[in-house]
Structure formats: structure tokens, C-alpha cells
Amino acid sequence: MIVMKFGGTSVESAAAMERLAGIVRSRIAQRPIVVVSAMGKTTNRLLEAAQLAVNGQRNEALEKVETLRAYHHAEADRFGASELIEEHFQELTELVRGLAILGELTPRSIDAISSFGERLSSRIVALVLGAKHIDSRTVVVTDERHTQAAPFYAETNERLQKIEWGEISVMGGFIGATLNGVTSTLGRGGSDFTASIVGAGVGAEEIQIWTDVDGMLTCDPTVLPGGRRVKSISFAEAAELAYFGAKVLHPSTVVPAIEKNIPVLILNSRRPEVAGTRITAEGPKSKAVAKSIACKKSITLVNIQSTRMLMAHGFLKRIFEIFDRYETSVDMIATSEVSVSLTIDNASRLDTIRRELEEFAEVESEQDKAIVCLVGDNIRWQSGVAHRVFRALENVNVRMISQGASLRNLSVVVAQSDLREAVECLHREFFTDVDPEVFG
Ligand code: ADP
Ligand code: ASP
Ligand code: MG
């Protein structure tokens, strides 16, 4: 068996779904389990509608729902999905009306709304393919951390093993349900994770992630176009890139795949003939120092200083306890005896955190920063990598630097306005003359 996951752009229109059908049918001998995202930007629109509803903008919310309804009809009626779409939109409309009355959005109701995209797209794609539909909410069992739920693997795998799969089967990504059967979601971009959970659970030969780019590229194409395709990469490298912002793969995707040692492929649904990127345990045998550059925007840098803490123990503990209490995760840190610099990507509770830190330290924060992260298994073996990074970035103001404990990444923090230049300089340094065995 193989798992084939198609992202939002790969199911965004009738034409995209017909392309999907061609790709899936050409692999029918491998008994594909197809995992699909919501059509196009449906999830964003659903979340916007929910927000409008609870903000007292009931009519605007219902208008958004109407626009989505028309979009689904326009693209999918030709596959015989009209009735299906009506049923789902009736339920959705009732839910949005209910939210408008309640005026309160809980994580659980966010999941109830945002699940509609995949609930519906998976039914439509099953129709397009004439395939068996499996409701992911009866299979992927999660904890109760709505909007960021984690799977219970034992329970999920047991259910996966009991399923009678069709010649082709279709499931929605991103969604699951708690042990009590309440709809949950795995976090934004979570359909990749679903594909990997399912692939590992059924012992698939391969997990294919079909998207809108040729594979993992040597840089984020939204920051710098023209990156090269990375032909193969290790699980550890892919995880690091995903974690540091390469949106092409959800950061949790490799976890189940590693466990069962199942290769993950990233492929382009518009150019299925391109070989894509193959992610495996060892990755390629190559001297290439770096495989790709990831970046994360909208980062806040926090500088914390305390001369009072000079020679005193417990400084770091006090700092991190405060970030922990306000559920704010810290991405990068650099420390000296009396000062700590760190980055966070969710600054929504920074004011409160700051007030508590100021009881024993001076605090400064800087917004609109970006993390640029050079990733490669060989970074740890090669000397002079930091020198090359600094030389390449000589005209960019680097605010912070850290070499991750994995020794597989080297990250710098720069002003967001310098992001493109920083990526361009690093890309020129590390990806101009490259090993054709590893890069396309
Ligand atoms: P899907 O809807 O198929 O899941 P996503 O939008 O989640 O697609 O992920 C694909 C996008 O990831 C690409 O269009 C690209 O803009 C972005 N991306 C960021 N970094 C990289 C990278 N290093 N290589 C390829 N794509 C990347
Ligand atoms: N549709 C969900 C999202 O937009 C999940 C996914 O596409 O992977 O986040
Ligand atoms: Mg995605």
C-alpha cells in the first residue's frame, strides 16, 4: 500500500481534482490511500467566518459561508457532489448561527468549524475517484487539545488495522476525534501528519506528499525564488527544516515515518514527472555541507539582563518558568553570565511575561525579526561553516546566532527587512556549485 496526500492547491479546482485522479489511478496497483486537505484556502475562510460570527458580525460570517458554498458547487457539482455539498453547508450554517448567538469561540468549536473543509473535500474526492470514503474522525483518535491535538497511536493503529480498504480509499487529512468522539484537528498544515500517521499505521511502502512545488527546495520560494530541488534528504534534516519554517512539510510528519522507516516523498501534482524529494533515514551519501535554508518570519527577540543575578544560580530557571507559565515556547536562545537573548514566535502574552521578568531583570524586546536557518547533516563534520556564514552575511546585521544542539543547523536572527538579502547571500555561498547527485 501507499499513502498519497494532496494539499489544498492540489484539490483547489475541478481541473486539480482531475489531475489528482490521473495521478492516483496510475498507481492503483499499489492500493493507494488518498489523504486530502480542504479545497484551496477553505480552512482560512472557515476560521475567518467563525471569528466574524463571535465578533457580532453575523451577516458577514454567513456571507463568507455562502461564498464557500458557491465555490464548492462551482468546482464539484460536475462530479455529482451537489447534494453532499448542500448537506454539509446546512450543518455549517447552523453552527455559524449558533456561534453568533453564543459570542464565544472555544478551541473545541474552532475544530467543529475548521473540520468542514476536509470533511467535505474528502467526500468529493472519493466521488471523483469512485473510491471508498473513510471518515478520519472514526479512525484518528486524539487527545483533547483541540486545534493542536496529538494522536493516540495505539488506539489509532488498532482502528487502522481493522479497516477494509478499497482498491482506492480516501480520507480527510487534519481531522480526527477524541476518545469521546468529539471532532478535533492536528494543527494547521496537519494533513501531512495524517498521511504519515496512516502510512505508519498500515505499514505503507511509501508516504507521498503531493503539493505545488517540485519538492524540498534549497530555499523558501516565497522569500527567494530560484532555489534548487533537493533530491534526497534525511529524516532528521527534513524535520529540522520543517521546524524552522519550511512549510512544505508539517514538522510532525517524519515522526511516525521514522518509527517504521517508511520513505516520505514530496512531489508536485502539477508536474508529476519530476522525481521530487525523497526523505529517508540515512539521506544521501554526499559531502554537501548544507541541504537547504529555512526561515521563520514575524519573530520577536527578547533580551533579558540582570546584574543582580551575577554569580547567582537559578537565573535561567526563573526566566523559563515564566515563559512556561504563559505557554509561550522559546525557539532560540543565547546566554552569557548575566544576559539571555531568546526568540519567540507567539508574542501575544509578552506584556505579562515582561512584567514578571522585570521583577528581577531589565527586558527589551524587538519585533519584526526573522530566523534564517542553514540545515545539513554534514554541518557538524565540517570545519569553517560558521566562518562561511559570517563572511556571506558580512553586510547584514546579525542580531543573534546559535548552532543547534543537533549540530545539524546553524541559525541567525536578522531584521525581517534583511531577510531576503540574508537568504540570497547564504544561498550564493552554499548552493552555487553543488553536487548533482543531491541537487536537481
Ligand atoms: P499544501 O497545501 O500542498 O500542503 P503548503 O502551502 O502547505 O502546501 O506547502 C507548500 C509551500 O511550502 C510551497 O508552495 C512553498 O511556498 C512553501 N515552502 C517553504 N519553504 C519551502 C522549501 N524549502 N521548499 C519547498 N517549498 C517551501
Ligand atoms: N486544511 C488544513 C490547513 O489549511 C490542513 C492542511 O491543509 O494540511 O491548515
Ligand atoms: Mg501543507
Side-chain angles (χ1 to χ4, degrees):
M1 290 183 110
I2 55 170
V3 175
M4 306 177 77
K5 177 263 174 177
F6 291 83
T9 46
S10 304
V11 291
E12 70 184 352
S13 61
M17 289 191 267
E18 269 156 12
R19 272 197 302 273
L20 172 154
I23 295 170
V24 172
R25 289 202 183 106
S26 72
R27 280 137 174 107
I28 202 160
Q30 290 167 289
R31 302 274 310 276
I33 302 172
V34 178
V35 172
V36 292
S37 289
M39 288 175 63
K41 298 257 176 280
T42 299
T43 311
N44 287 356
R45 300 291 102 83
L46 289 167
L47 292 169
E48 287 159 14
Q51 200 60 55
L52 286 167
V54 297
N55 287 352
Q57 292 167 279
R58 177 177 173 278
N59 291 340
E60 287 83 347
L62 291 171
E63 256 167 49
K64 273 225 192 272
V65 174
E66 277 317 298
T67 310
L68 270 181
R69 184 205 297 256
Y71 162 56
H72 280 80
H73 277 304
E75 300 301 332
D77 277 4
R78 74 192 73 184
F79 303 116
S82 175
E83 225 172 280
L84 201 68
I85 295 171
E86 271 318 294
E87 281 167 27
H88 281 78
F89 274 92
Q90 265 169 28
E91 193 186 330
L92 175 61
T93 308
E94 273 168 38
L95 214 56
V96 170
R97 287 208 180 103
L99 280 182
I101 295 168
L102 288 173
E104 192 199 356
L105 202 53
T106 61
R108 178 171 162 159
S109 49
I110 292 175
D111 280 351
I113 299 259
S114 66
S115 63
F116 269 86
E118 273 77 4
R119 283 175 57 186
L120 189 50
S121 66
S122 59
R123 297 287 298 271
I124 294 171
V125 170
L127 268 182
V128 175
L129 287 164
K132 177 164 185 175
H133 179 264
I134 286 155
D135 188 336
S136 298
R137 295 171 302 167
T138 64
V139 180
V140 179
V141 186
T142 74
D143 62 18
E144 295 184 354
R145 287 178 50 223
H146 287 283
T147 74
Q148 282 294 339
F152 290 137
Y153 285 101
E155 181 65 36
T156 302
N157 288 342
E158 200 174 299
R159 293 190 189 192
L160 280 166
Q161 273 140 28
K162 282 194 194 129
I163 293 175
E164 272 188 43
W165 300 97
E167 198 173 25
I168 304 174
S169 311
V170 182
M171 306 174 64
F174 180 56
I175 59 178
T178 65
L179 276 167
N180 295 327
V182 179
T183 299
S184 56
T185 68
L186 303 173
R188 295 306 308 272
S191 296
D192 302 337
F193 191 20
T194 304
S196 172
I197 294 167
V198 173
V202 303
E205 293 154 46
E206 211 168 85
I207 297 161
Q208 303 176 351
I209 306 291
W210 291 84
T211 183
D212 60 355
V213 282
D214 283 351
M216 181 68 80
L217 305 175
T218 49
C219 57
D220 183 335
T222 63
V223 174
L224 180 71
R228 292 161 184 257
R229 172 170 62 93
V230 187
K231 291 183 187 168
S232 68
I233 195 168
S234 70
F235 282 132
E237 289 169 321
E240 203 103 347
L241 285 164
Y243 183 69
F244 279 95
K247 188 186 163 217
V248 66
L249 207 62
H250 183 280
S252 303
T253 313
V254 299
V255 176
I258 289 174
E259 187 114 325
K260 293 277 176 69
N261 200 11
I262 302 171
V264 176
L265 274 84
I266 305 177
L267 297 153
N268 191 342
S269 66
R270 287 174 179 271
R271 305 198 327 141
E273 67 284 0
V274 177
T277 297
R278 192 177 174 81
I279 310 172
T280 54
E282 296 88 35
K285 297 214 176 351
S286 159
K287 292 213 167 59
V289 180
K291 296 292 164 44
S292 176
I293 301 166
C295 35
K296 256 190 180 177
K297 296 182 207 172
S298 302
I299 295 295
T300 302
L301 179 63
V302 186
N303 297 308
I304 304 158
Q305 251 200 30
S306 176
T307 39
R308 265 180 290 157
M309 292 305 284
L310 187 65
M311 310 301 285
H313 59 85
F315 183 40
L316 291 177
K317 177 163 182 261
R318 279 181 82 177
I319 292 174
F320 286 109
E321 265 170 3
I322 296 171
F323 281 89
D324 182 44
R325 196 168 328 124
Y326 296 101
E327 292 170 338
T328 297
S329 77
V330 170
D331 287 328
M332 265 174 79
I333 37 170
T335 65
S336 72
E337 180 75 19
V338 290
S339 73
V340 179
S341 297
L342 50 83
T343 67
I344 55 178
D345 71 2
N346 175 3
S348 62
R349 302 178 86 175
L350 184 58
D351 285 344
T352 324
I353 291 172
R354 194 188 176 111
R355 236 171 283 131
E356 295 210 8
L357 288 170
E358 279 171 349
E359 285 173 19
F360 59 94
E362 293 87 61
V363 183
E364 272 171 27
S365 63
E366 302 171 36
Q367 286 172 315
D368 299 324
K369 296 285 174 282
I371 298 178
V372 182
C373 181
L374 183 73
V375 172
D377 281 339
N378 288 340
I379 288 180
R380 63 166 106 189
W381 311 119
Q382 301 244 350
S383 54
V385 180
H387 171 71
R388 285 177 71 187
V389 168
F390 278 117
R391 195 180 54 202
L393 295 177
E394 64 186 351
N395 294 320
V396 177
N397 183 11
V398 174
R399 298 287 299 108
M400 181 173 158
I401 175 156
S402 118
Q403 175 154 19
S406 67
L407 303 180
R408 168 175 304 120
N409 86 63
L410 210 148
S411 308
V412 297
V413 175
V414 300
Q416 195 150 299
S417 52
D418 290 336
L419 175 60
R420 191 191 151 105
E421 193 189 346
V423 173
E424 212 170 346
C425 295
L426 285 176
H427 200 266
R428 202 178 307 123
E429 173 69 30
F430 288 94
F431 298 103
T432 297
D433 187 19
V434 292
D435 180 355
E437 292 284 311
V438 186
F439 300 94

